[in-house]
Amino acid sequence: MFSTLEKAIAVGINHVETARSYGNSESYLGQAFQGGIKREDLHLTTKLLPKGNAKDIDQWIDESLERLNTNYLDMLAIHGVNTWEHLEWVLDDSAAAGMAGIDQAIADGRINHLGFSSHGSLELLLEVINSDRFEFVNLHYGYFLQRNEPAIALADEKDMGVFIISPADKGGQLYAPPPKLMELCHPLTPLEWGYRFLLADPRITTLSVGSSKPSELAMVANIDDGKSLNFQERKVLDALDQEALKISPSEQYVQYYDCLPCPEDVAIPEILRLKNLADTYGMEDYAKYRYGMLENAGHWFPGRRGDRCNSCGNCVSKFPEKADIPSMLRDAHSRFGETFGRRLWDD
Ligand code: SF4
């Protein structure tokens, strides 16, 4: 880890994000600070789950600071404001509430900036941003996952920082792309393209680069993090857009969120998205990976698998165009449903 951090700083990375829930991650970072990594070279974020009262939060912040071997956090994020109950926790303004503990830590200088991460619905994200309790938001977004664009627009309007979670992995497994995607992104790699799509957007402040060894960071040094898309990058964007149009309308399902709620809680729009990516760009492995997380990650990846559909027809009647959603869901399940994924940590 020490050499990875050294390399990260050498290629220009200046922000590290961890969490109380990420196993020994905070302690490893604390050891790195003791071992020679300069604390002032890095902006440091850790995260706490939305639970507990002011006293718990006060204690958890101190424990994180101790593990991290520092006396202040540049940023603290509420980790996974994923449900409306989590938002209630955020909005509880009583003296003993968890957020009061955070306000105290901001007042006494242990925390400089407060934000939140969310894997919840767009509607929830917008509500949390509109609570005006936070200075930054961590969310999923990318070329292959554009549902949260209105949340980015709102955060930008409010002058909030925007941090994109896991663009290389959850954003499309771009480090292991299928041949068709490589061809469409050429001469960029899909990973370079994915980073550039985000960093060229002036509303996006930063993103995570999930490297576990120094060699994985070499390409980061060459990624332009400021300018808008250049001619070559716009050609890639055009090629990807055009490829999506080649799929016949009967097979290209719109991710129509107004079809929800489903009585069986099937993750209809997400399954449609995965099917479209597999059909359009050959991203079958990514579709299997994400589909495999359904029903196995709780509120971190909500909704159930396609085989739960009982063909009631509720969603079909809400689609703007006639679409056989139950049979599409059956098809997706037979293609992607062979495995169950697993989250790396527990909450
Ligand atoms: S047809 Fe299937 S997916 Fe659609 S609402 Fe009914 S159970 Fe849900």
Side-chain angles (χ1 to χ4, degrees):
M1 179 189 188
F2 190 85
S3 55
T4 303
L5 269 177
E6 275 190 319
K7 178 73 177 178
I9 293 165
V11 301
I13 289 172
N14 63 359
H15 174 221
V16 173
E17 192 215 34
T18 180
R20 178 181 169 87
S21 315
Y22 290 170
N24 294 322
S25 168
E26 288 184 332
S27 300
Y28 290 151
L29 273 170
Q31 286 164 25
F33 290 135
Q34 261 180 334
I37 297 289
K38 289 190 194 142
R39 172 68 181 87
E40 61 271 24
D41 282 348
L42 290 170
H43 298 287
L44 184 58
T45 298
T46 196
K47 306 195 288 296
L48 286 177
L49 294 165
K51 63 181 186 181
N53 58 29
K55 207 165 151 234
D56 298 324
I57 291 285
D58 180 67
Q59 182 188 329
W60 294 338
I61 290 170
D62 281 346
E63 287 171 1
S64 284
L65 290 171
E66 195 178 335
R67 281 191 291 270
L68 287 161
N69 199 25
T70 184
N71 57 8
Y72 73 99
L73 295 166
D74 299 282
M75 274 87 53
L76 178 82
I78 305 302
H79 193 177
V81 182
N82 297 339
T83 68
W84 295 99
E85 290 73 29
H86 293 152
L87 177 57
E88 272 176 36
W89 182 91
V90 165
L91 297 178
D92 184 350
D93 58 2
S94 61
M99 288 294 281
I102 288 171
D103 289 339
Q104 177 56 46
I106 292 171
D108 64 31
R110 282 175 291 165
I111 298 170
N112 288 345
H113 300 282
L114 177 66
F116 74 99
S117 68
S118 179
H119 303 245
S121 66
L122 173 62
E123 293 72 22
L124 178 67
L125 267 169
L126 295 174
E127 281 289 317
V128 183
I129 292 169
N130 270 327
S131 74
D132 292 327
R133 285 295 266 132
F134 299 104
E135 294 171 272
F136 65 92
V137 53
N138 303 357
L139 44 67
H140 284 298
Y141 176 72
Y143 179 76
F144 302 107
L145 183 69
Q146 297 193 29
R147 167 68 172 161
N148 287 337
E149 192 280 336
I152 289 175
L154 180 62
D156 181 57
E157 209 179 291
K158 289 177 176 285
D159 198 25
M160 291 171 67
V162 174
F163 171 100
I164 304 300
I165 304 168
S166 189
D169 184 49
K170 311 279 189 320
Q173 284 193 325
L174 301 179
Y175 49 82
K180 186 172 180 185
L181 187 59
M182 289 172 74
E183 208 178 291
L184 287 163
C185 292
H186 184 79
L188 280 73
T189 65
L191 186 55
E192 286 166 339
W193 157 252
Y195 287 156
R196 281 294 297 136
F197 175 80
L198 295 170
L199 293 171
D201 186 333
R203 302 169 303 175
I204 291 170
T205 317
T206 190
L207 48 78
S208 65
V209 177
S211 304
S212 58
K213 50 187 178 189
S215 58
E216 292 172 358
L217 287 162
M219 57 87 70
V220 175
N222 301 321
I223 301 286
D224 191 333
D225 66 355
K227 299 191 187 104
S228 53
L229 294 181
N230 64 29
F231 177 71
Q232 188 61 60
E233 291 160 351
R234 284 200 306 277
K235 273 178 73 175
V236 172
L237 176 63
D238 192 47
L240 291 168
D241 287 350
Q242 290 302 318
E243 195 63 24
L245 296 176
K246 284 187 197 164
I247 302 287
S248 99
S250 63
E251 290 172 11
Q252 178 77 16
Y253 292 91
V254 178
Q255 286 136 56
Y256 187 66
Y257 286 80
D258 286 352
C259 72
L260 299 174
C262 160
E264 297 296 332
D265 197 25
V266 177
I268 308 168
E270 179 61 12
I271 298 173
L272 292 172
R273 183 181 80 89
L274 296 174
K275 184 177 186 301
N276 286 343
L277 291 178
D279 290 345
T280 308
Y281 305 116
M283 296 168 73
E284 196 95 6
D285 288 345
Y286 169 69
K288 286 180 186 167
Y289 160 55
R290 292 305 277 161
Y291 191 91
M293 300 300 292
L294 290 171
E295 300 186 36
N296 205 27
H299 53 72
W300 299 93
F301 195 47
R304 302 208 299 166
R305 298 172 146 218
D307 59 337
R308 306 290 187 175
C309 171
N310 65 15
S311 301
C312 73
N314 282 4
C315 62
V316 178
S317 61
K318 292 182 200 160
F319 265 73
E321 288 172 21
K322 198 168 182 301
D324 187 355
I325 301 300
S327 84
M328 189 289 300
L329 292 169
R330 275 193 295 278
D331 175 48
H333 186 76
S334 66
R335 285 170 67 183
F336 312 139
E338 66 201 29
T339 53
F340 270 100
R342 188 178 69 82
R343 283 174 62 243
L344 290 176
W345 51 274
D346 297 322
D347 51 352

